[in-house]
Amino acid sequence: MKALVYQGPGKKAWQDVPPPRIQHPTDVIVRIDTTTICGTDLHILKGDVPAVTPGRILGHEGVGVVTEVGSSVTTLAVGDNVIISCIKSCGHCIFCKQGIFAHCLGDEGAVGIGWVFGHLIDGTQAEFVRVPYAETSVYKVPPRVTNQQGVLLSDILPTGFEIGVQYGQTKPGDVVAVIGAGPIGLAVIMTAGLYGAARIISIDLDANRIAQARKFGASDGVNSGDADWKQQVMALTDGWGVDVAVEAVGIPDTFEMATQIVRPGGHVANVGVHGKPVALRLQDLWIHNITISMGLVNTNTTPMLLRLIAEGRLDVDKFVSHRFKLDDMLAAYDTFGRAAETKALKVIIER
Amino acid sequence: MKALVYQGPGKKAWQDVPPPRIQHPTDVIVRIDTTTICGTDLHILKGDVPAVTPGRILGHEGVGVVTEVGSSVTTLAVGDNVIISCIKSCGHCIFCKQGIFAHCLGDEGAVGIGWVFGHLIDGTQAEFVRVPYAETSVYKVPPRVTNQQGVLLSDILPTGFEIGVQYGQTKPGDVVAVIGAGPIGLAVIMTAGLYGAARIISIDLDANRIAQARKFGASDGVNSGDADWKQQVMALTDGWGVDVAVEAVGIPDTFEMATQIVRPGGHVANVGVHGKPVALRLQDLWIHNITISMGLVNTNTTPMLLRLIAEGRLDVDKFVSHRFKLDDMLAAYDTFGRAAETKALKVIIER
Amino acid sequence: MKALVYQGPGKKAWQDVPPPRIQHPTDVIVRIDTTTICGTDLHILKGDVPAVTPGRILGHEGVGVVTEVGSSVTTLAVGDNVIISCIKSCGHCIFCKQGIFAHCLGDEGAVGIGWVFGHLIDGTQAEFVRVPYAETSVYKVPPRVTNQQGVLLSDILPTGFEIGVQYGQTKPGDVVAVIGAGPIGLAVIMTAGLYGAARIISIDLDANRIAQARKFGASDGVNSGDADWKQQVMALTDGWGVDVAVEAVGIPDTFEMATQIVRPGGHVANVGVHGKPVALRLQDLWIHNITISMGLVNTNTTPMLLRLIAEGRLDVDKFVSHRFKLDDMLAAYDTFGRAAETKALKVIIER
Amino acid sequence: MKALVYQGPGKKAWQDVPPPRIQHPTDVIVRIDTTTICGTDLHILKGDVPAVTPGRILGHEGVGVVTEVGSSVTTLAVGDNVIISCIKSCGHCIFCKQGIFAHCLGDEGAVGIGWVFGHLIDGTQAEFVRVPYAETSVYKVPPRVTNQQGVLLSDILPTGFEIGVQYGQTKPGDVVAVIGAGPIGLAVIMTAGLYGAARIISIDLDANRIAQARKFGASDGVNSGDADWKQQVMALTDGWGVDVAVEAVGIPDTFEMATQIVRPGGHVANVGVHGKPVALRLQDLWIHNITISMGLVNTNTTPMLLRLIAEGRLDVDKFVSHRFKLDDMLAAYDTFGRAAETKALKVIIER
């Protein structure tokens, strides 16, 4: 079969590889019908994630049809159309029992990370993929939900909702600021309404992205290039700051911004993937009664998000900016890699 | 009357000052029968808290008898024996309505900080003190609770419980590590059992303090001077770290320690008062699904703690290491200021 | 001044009475500009609420301008336009301290009920009203909110949201059934989206009311007169029942219906005011892992609801079916009292 | 092998039956080393549980050694010493995913009830038992925990804690009343301290049982045979009632008692198994802002309770009143069945 194979920093190929086969009784094999590319895949290609070794098939998002099931699998059958969560869950380790699937200890990789596809085992940017712990790691696509909508639930929607909105303890009436209007920031913006946010402020350096954020549900926009950006944010609150400040970029400056605009008693939810330490101004913040949260998605809200999509309450299709065929995988990477120029959000790659 | 007056960095006096008088209808005047000294008072004396200006009477902890009430006060009467919370609460501002009394906007000082005594208005290390917003800021001492027990509820017990134990989201069965075994760390240790902690690990550089921590409820002790201190902590868990790591010192090193021993899905509760920024290793921690909390006490658990003391469920008297008369205020400061040598925990100062 | 005075079962008059005056330093006097009638007022008129004695001015909803303030009031001034909550809160009793304003012990009436207007003290269907504990019991009408919108926050909106949606523990993705499509049921339906309900099912005997419920946000309707009404509800879920079943009528049959359609692990929220006991089928339900909640509104979500209205996120104006002048109070009662015929929801009565 | 077999109402035998064998890849076989008898077993024997058909091996509590594992089981091995939870959990159905194992849909029985042993499949009062979904339904007995302690975690301790203490929303400082001082009431009493209850009041008709309750942690006792029992309870609170009222009997009278003593804003937690409906006084209670909870144990606190026992923080051995050998199963039933006379609490039955 064909697959997108990492070949060391800066190198990848769409090449022939042996198809996956069942290794454990709890595995299934899925034929990928729809996949996509995540910013994390680009990081891996730069060589930023040393755990990924050459020869690894990339990708952790995918929807497709089950073609083979392991001997203990009873609730999935050949022919089922399923969403593969970016996080596998064994269902019985100490972390899974608490719903922290992000740190599943299941023996694939066994390093306490639920994210294994395209990381510690072969991923979804391929014609077929082996899915470990399938009964606790995939979700059947229900009626009225398309594959395209489904693949947006592999990672980006639950990440925005769980790590941004839920970890940020958003509640009805809150003012939520989202710093960074890239795909993940937009996922936070789209789902903040599920807890009744009164105002959602998109903060970014790019006026076009702020304009786009309004289409995803932002009620207000602030350009962080403006000298008075902070005063603009404060003016959109009662003067004491936002209830929830979501960092959706991953650099020290934006994290610092989040700590500057959060009100006493408020929450900073870090969603960004960081590459260096940040200076936390504890000398000022210790007295502010704030929480700072961070983490990898658990995907335990996937069934709930599926229900909302089926009911027409989340218009996720607007995330899709481009569409490719699997054999055009390299073109899809090229488009997604030049997002500033191509305006790519999520590129859908289909069989 | 006599009072302990701040006279600029490094200078204080026990001197005659005019007695306080009612300024607002919601005020009461309290004759101080029992007070104490807090580490914060020492910081102020060093000049570390610029908002405190020369001439200010220090102290934010006290128990005494109401001697005069403002015209709108109906639920307190002359003769009532009351605990003065270190945090005043107006009861109707946006923060008080949410229980965040720490950031009460009530007009005394009006800077969004509930801590006013010995800071923005005159404090409790005096023969009399004016208490603003009295009906929402003091608690009557119930039967079976002594003044000495009461004064420990002005600040230290609720601070340890609210900012350490509650903000740390402690739950039954948790392993809780408390870094720093000074008075505030001991208050965390004493109250962690209220949420059923399975193990409470005291971490300190001083073996004597660790031994003392065991008397306050620590089940385990680890000397942070040991090269393998972290491994020792991990060995007391399932190998994945503690559920709750409480920072009770206030320096970058101990904050960093807390982030090293917290498990995925766990909580870092900062209780320490910090003077400089700390480097937060977000490049490692972003994926750990942790929360970091911090804040000033709200004292909204004071009635509950009072009930536990009245029922004999919290042996707070063991906090008292020394006892002085009001007129020996300077000797009390001297003893408390040399705590390493005198082994002072809380010094009780009585009329 | 003129006021609507209860004169014993079945009797009322719009008559001259002495104007109210300040009795306590925490009181204010408000000139009523907008008021309305609640179903409870009709109950009182029938003689169902013995605590209400002849001579009492009725009404517990109102918006108006402060004309006089007590001596301890500092945060309200003559001329302020305020919403009077149907629940007064002293701000410092054991219940208020926990946010359970519904059971405020403040000395007006002093029977542990926060609802005093038109019940234990004179109410808002008058030209002027005395408001006790004003600083903790009224809310200034913010810019962009009309008096008409404000009066809907005196009782009905917070009641539907707090006792239906919040006590029902509604969460994103839930299926919520609301039994009864009268004004209070519609308030539940309108606010269930604040916690991201996926489906909101209106259940009623009247097809017209169900049609109206859809305009307030119901996604589905079931006529409880249908023999298979329960199967219809189940078909709108995964077959195991609704997450939240709200009783918004107040009779045994509808309470029983709620317990029949709630799923294992779900919640029954009783909003209706009941006049007799109900038979609770504990022999079946004990094993169902459900909660049943009930209560009087606390109005502690009023500031939050105000913010949502100001942001245009709650279209509350659609509650208003009729509009009267104060002097037409009796006509307003007549129209509201024949709601089945007049299709009255909320009748607005203005100065 | 030998087993205790139900033979229709009033009839049972300790007889030879074929040993169980693996039926599904997720099964294990356990050799029972320690089991016990539950009040529910007595109900079944009376014929009160029609789902139990003649020929069924009874018992849902047990500790023993794994003797055989299904083909997909990787985290359990022959020789492991395990606690069998009374509730099986498939780990991937809609209820298990939410932690409501009590309503696991896994296909054994497939009626939405997690309790299958000695009910829908053969149970633990036998020499061997087949355990379905073993990886998500058993817990390895850790060092420092005995089999006797372990078997008390099969049902009684988690039931008391989850359905009484947790569903009752017990929090530090609460006054908790437990109506009924039988084994399950004692389990509530023993675990209420895990959330810091200030007072635990045991209410029973039998002075001896109240005296025993004090040994399990009750701070107070009230004899419900006293005419003024309710006033006695109120006198142990601030006069407004208890925070949490736990019903641990299962009859209408005791349920009614719970609703009479709960304070506004408090919680009634029903633990008892009921056989008939109860009259719920909604005409009085609708205004009380209370919750009423009920349910079957989920056993998701079992790992946590194990940790507390291992740390010596729960002295569960005091539940054991009698000890028998497996071959004396009928004598054990006789002793447990005459508990009023024999003072039996839990009878331990060992290999």
Side-chain angles (χ1 to χ4, degrees), chain C residues 137-315:
Chain C
S137 304
V138 308
Y139 296 93
K140 292 184 198 173
V141 184
R144 290 185 289 164
V145 175
T146 65
N147 280 7
Q148 172 173 297
Q149 292 168 335
V151 82
L152 295 165
L153 290 194
S154 281
D155 180 345
I156 189 167
L157 257 287
T159 295
F161 182 63
E162 295 176 17
I163 309 306
V165 179
Q166 288 193 322
Y167 276 24
Q169 301 183 42
T170 310
K171 56 186 187 316
D174 274 1
V175 179
V176 177
V178 181
I179 303 171
I184 190 64
L186 296 174
V188 178
I189 288 169
M190 179 176 274
T191 55
L194 296 179
Y195 283 108
R199 281 191 121 130
I200 302 170
I201 308 170
S202 174
I203 305 177
D204 201 288
L205 279 165
D206 179 336
N208 287 327
R209 280 155 63 106
I210 293 174
Q212 189 172 51
R214 290 182 187 269
K215 294 181 194 150
F216 282 75
S219 57
D220 302 276
V222 168
N223 194 309
S224 46
D226 294 349
D228 67 342
W229 74 270
K230 185 175 163 186
Q231 288 83 338
Q232 289 180 44
V233 173
M234 290 296 167
L236 293 169
T237 76
D238 59 4
W240 288 97
V242 302
D243 298 284
V244 184
V246 180
E247 201 282 346
V249 179
I251 60 172
D253 278 0
T254 45
F255 183 84
E256 165 66 17
M257 286 167 68
T259 66
Q260 285 184 21
I261 58 175
V262 70
R263 72 193 290 110
H267 307 282
V268 171
N270 184 80
V271 181
V273 175
H274 288 257
K276 10 183 191 179
V278 302
L280 183 66
R281 290 174 298 106
L282 265 191
Q283 75 276 32
D284 301 324
L285 296 172
W286 76 266
I287 205 172
H288 280 202
N289 297 67
I290 61 170
T291 64
I292 300 171
S293 61
M294 60 202 69
L296 185 65
V297 67
N298 292 308
T299 69
N300 46 18
T301 62
T302 302
M304 183 280 283
L305 292 167
L306 266 176
R307 203 148 57 225
L308 288 167
I309 292 175
E311 295 302 327
R313 300 209 176 225
L314 276 183
D315 180 12

Side-chain angles (χ1 to χ4, degrees), chain B residues 145-160:
Chain B
V145 174
T146 65
N147 280 6
Q148 172 173 297
Q149 292 168 335
V151 81
L152 295 165
L153 290 194
S154 282
D155 179 347
I156 188 165
L157 257 289
T159 295

Side-chain angles (χ1 to χ4, degrees), chain A residues 170-174 192-199, chain C residues 193-196 304 308 313:
Chain A
T170 310
K171 57 187 186 314
D174 275 1
L194 296 179
Y195 283 108
R199 281 191 122 130
Chain C
L194 296 179
Y195 283 108
M304 183 280 283
L308 288 167
R313 300 209 176 225

Side-chain angles (χ1 to χ4, degrees), chain D residues 107-131:
Chain D
D107 48 13
E108 305 271 341
V111 294
I113 283 295
W115 167 42
V116 292
F117 296 112
H119 181 209
L120 306 176
I121 66 172
D122 284 334
T124 57
Q125 292 165 1
E127 291 185 272
F128 292 87
V129 66
R130 178 181 68 90
V131 180

Side-chain angles (χ1 to χ4, degrees), chain B residues 172-173 194-196 198 304 307 313, chain D residues 172-173 194-196 198 304 307 313:
Chain B
L194 295 179
Y195 283 108
M304 184 280 283
R307 204 149 57 227
R313 299 209 177 225
Chain D
L194 296 179
Y195 283 108
M304 183 280 282
R307 203 149 58 226
R313 299 208 176 223

Side-chain angles (χ1 to χ4, degrees), chain B residues 144 161 172-173 193-199 217 219 304 307-308 311 313, chain D residues 144 161 172-173 193-199 217 219 304 307-308 311 313:
Chain B
R144 290 185 289 164
F161 181 64
L194 295 179
Y195 283 108
R199 283 192 120 129
S219 57
M304 184 280 283
R307 204 149 57 227
L308 288 167
E311 296 301 327
R313 299 209 177 225
Chain D
R144 290 185 288 164
F161 181 63
L194 296 179
Y195 283 108
R199 282 191 120 129
S219 57
M304 183 280 282
R307 203 149 58 226
L308 288 167
E311 296 301 327
R313 299 208 176 223

Side-chain angles (χ1 to χ4, degrees), chain B residues 30-36 61-66 79-84 139-157 306 309-310 316-317 319-320 323-326 346-351:
Chain B
V30 173
R31 183 197 72 203
I32 293 292
D33 288 333
T34 310
T35 185
T36 180
E61 299 162 285
V63 172
V65 170
V66 174
D80 283 348
N81 194 31
V82 297
I83 298 165
I84 302 168
Y139 296 93
K140 291 184 199 174
V141 183
R144 290 185 289 164
V145 174
T146 65
N147 280 6
Q148 172 173 297
Q149 292 168 335
V151 81
L152 295 165
L153 290 194
S154 282
D155 179 347
I156 188 165
L157 257 289
L306 265 175
I309 291 174
V316 295
D317 289 318
F319 272 101
V320 179
R323 188 169 279 107
F324 296 89
K325 286 290 178 190
L326 265 184
K346 290 301 279 184
V347 298
I348 293 292
I349 305 164
E350 293 166 306
R351 189 161 169 274

Side-chain angles (χ1 to χ4, degrees), chain C residues 29-50:
Chain C
I29 303 293
V30 172
R31 183 197 71 204
I32 293 293
D33 288 331
T34 309
T35 185
T36 181
I37 308 171
C38 178
T40 305
D41 297 318
L42 301 184
H43 278 293
I44 291 170
L45 280 170
K46 283 195 207 139
D48 288 353
V49 186

